[in-house]
């Protein structure tokens, strides 16, 4: 039986629930580490998903459900600390009487220069947990970009930050020629302009000519597979109440799914929200 080298997985990923109070400079604690990628969603209201990372810096918000360019809003998540983060009065992160979920990943701070690819990048990488944040500027032609993980990522989420553009998701289950959008419900589609039909390697990923990942300033969230900590794959639904069984080798703290063969929403489930035991219904 294989055991993970990660003794305490919650040192690298944790879901934290908190209540909003509409007060400036509110410190949210309980993450357990200094997060480098924090994804926040209101649980009661139809606010947008708010995504922040340490490479772009506090206050720079992206909406995962929209194709908008990033915006700097000083009243959103402004900074991180050793056990959480600080939020302002923006309704998307700290509404009065609001209830929020935050998903938090540890990378390696603000990042450093990486010259592994034909395009230089800034990379914040945690090789232990297999997660890195990559920032680069695309030039429009086929190129490679260093990701800093030391193993090939199984999933990469791309977003152009300086202009409106759909989120592009590469996943090992759909392959290097197909992709899905994070901000839509559309099925997976083929496009050689995404990764140029080239799978990521242990040091770089290849980008095609698609504007969404090679037309301006891009942020990419890269995830590699680690035994006992993370798993990336696919399954075929059967329509039964008990569903299908997907073996991961551990009990997941977070599950994210999307139908690839047809239109359908993304689902995000975790072990902290309403009814975290089987059958899990907090989505």
């Amino acid at each position: 039986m294989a055991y993970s080298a990660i003794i305490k997985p919650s040192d690298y990923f944790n879901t934290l629930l908190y209540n909003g109070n509409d007060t400036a400079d509110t410190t949210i604690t309980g993450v357990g580490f200094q997060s480098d990628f924090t994804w926040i969603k209101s649980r009661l209201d139809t606010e947008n998903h708010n995504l922040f990372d340490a490479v772009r810096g506090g206050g720079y918000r992206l909406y995962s459900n929209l194709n908008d360019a990033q915006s700097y809003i000083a009243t959103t998540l402004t900074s991180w600390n050793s056990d959480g983060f600080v939020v302002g009065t923006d309704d998307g992160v700290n509404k009065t009487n609001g209830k929020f979920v935050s998903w938090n990943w540890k990378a390696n701070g603000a990042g450093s220069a990486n010259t592994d690819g034909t395009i230089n990048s800034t990379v914040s990488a945690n090789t232990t947990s297999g997660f890195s944040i990559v920032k680069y500027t695309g030039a429009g032609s086929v190129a490679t970009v260093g990701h800093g993980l030391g193993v090939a990522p199984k999933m990469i989420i791309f977003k152009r930050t300086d202009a409106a553009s759909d989120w592009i998701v590469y996943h090992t289950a759909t392959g290097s020629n197909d992709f899905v959008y994070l901000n839509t419900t559309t099925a997976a589609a083929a496009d050689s302009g995404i990764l140029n039909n080239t799978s990521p390697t242990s040091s770089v990923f290849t980008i095609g000519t698609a504007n969404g990942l090679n037309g301006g300033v891009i942020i990419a969230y890269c995830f590699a597979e680690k035994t006992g900590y993370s798993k990336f794959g696919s399954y075929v639904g059967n329509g039964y109440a008990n569903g299908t069984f997907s073996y991961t080798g551990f009990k997941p703290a977070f599950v994210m799914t999307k139908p690839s063969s047809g239109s359908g929403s993304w689902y995000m489930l975790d072990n902290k929200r309403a009814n975290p035991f089987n059958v899990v219904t907090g989505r």
Side-chain angles (χ1 to χ4, degrees):
M1 181 176 181
Y3 291 91
S4 171
I6 299 177
I7 304 302
K8 188 178 179 183
S10 60
D11 283 344
Y12 302 97
F13 170 82
N14 202 7
T15 300
L16 177 68
L17 308 181
Y18 66 93
N19 297 324
N21 58 24
D22 196 31
T23 301
D25 300 324
T26 296
T27 298
I28 306 299
T29 60
V31 172
F33 55 86
Q34 183 162 323
S35 174
D36 298 301
F37 176 36
T38 297
W39 182 330
I40 298 173
K41 179 68 179 76
S42 170
R43 300 163 60 203
L44 297 180
D45 303 293
T46 56
E47 298 287 344
N48 294 313
H49 289 249
N50 288 249
L51 279 65
F52 307 90
D53 65 72
V55 174
R56 290 181 297 120
Y60 288 96
R61 172 172 63 188
L62 286 167
Y63 296 133
S64 64
N65 55 303
L66 302 174
N67 69 356
D68 296 18
Q70 79 171 8
S71 56
Y72 178 78
I73 307 295
T75 54
T76 56
L77 186 155
T78 56
S79 62
W80 291 266
N81 56 48
S82 61
D83 189 36
F85 48 87
V86 178
V87 292
T89 58
D90 187 271
D91 282 354
V93 298
N94 195 17
K95 186 175 183 178
T96 300
N97 298 322
K99 292 185 179 296
F100 296 87
V101 56
S102 68
W103 298 289
N104 301 273
W105 286 264
K106 184 176 179 60
N108 192 22
S112 57
N114 182 296
T115 58
D116 289 341
T118 57
I119 291 178
N120 293 341
S121 57
T122 299
V123 175
S124 175
N126 190 316
T127 56
T128 301
S129 63
F131 172 63
S132 70
I133 305 167
V134 180
K135 183 180 178 181
Y136 65 92
T137 301
S141 56
V142 175
T144 57
V145 181
H147 55 67
L149 290 177
V151 294
K154 297 287 189 177
M155 181 176 178
I156 307 175
I157 302 173
F158 298 90
K159 179 67 176 79
R160 181 172 177 177
T161 63
D162 61 338
S165 182
D166 288 323
W167 293 76
I168 295 172
V169 181
Y170 156 77
H171 194 284
T172 182
T174 52
S176 59
N177 189 46
D178 287 15
F179 71 97
V180 288
Y181 291 131
L182 186 64
N183 57 296
T184 77
T185 60
T186 56
D191 187 344
S192 61
I194 303 299
L195 296 186
N196 200 44
N197 291 339
T198 306
S199 297
T201 72
S202 60
S203 59
V204 300
F205 54 79
T206 299
I207 53 174
T209 57
N211 184 62
L213 47 63
N214 200 1
V217 181
I218 312 296
I219 199 76
Y221 303 115
C222 304
F223 300 87
E225 196 167 277
K226 294 292 181 177
T227 302
Y229 174 77
S230 58
K231 188 74 175 177
F232 302 85
S234 62
Y235 63 91
V236 178
N238 59 21
Y240 299 152
N242 288 333
T244 59
F245 175 72
S246 297
Y247 180 75
T248 62
F250 56 93
K251 184 178 180 178
F254 174 82
V255 176
M256 187 173 183
T257 65
K258 166 76 174 76
S260 60
S261 60
S263 178
S265 297
W266 289 86
Y267 282 78
M268 301 170 72
L269 306 102
D270 58 63
N271 62 352
K272 298 291 179 65
R273 285 178 290 156
N275 194 28
F277 305 101
N278 291 334
V279 172
V280 176
T281 58
R283 65 188 184 190

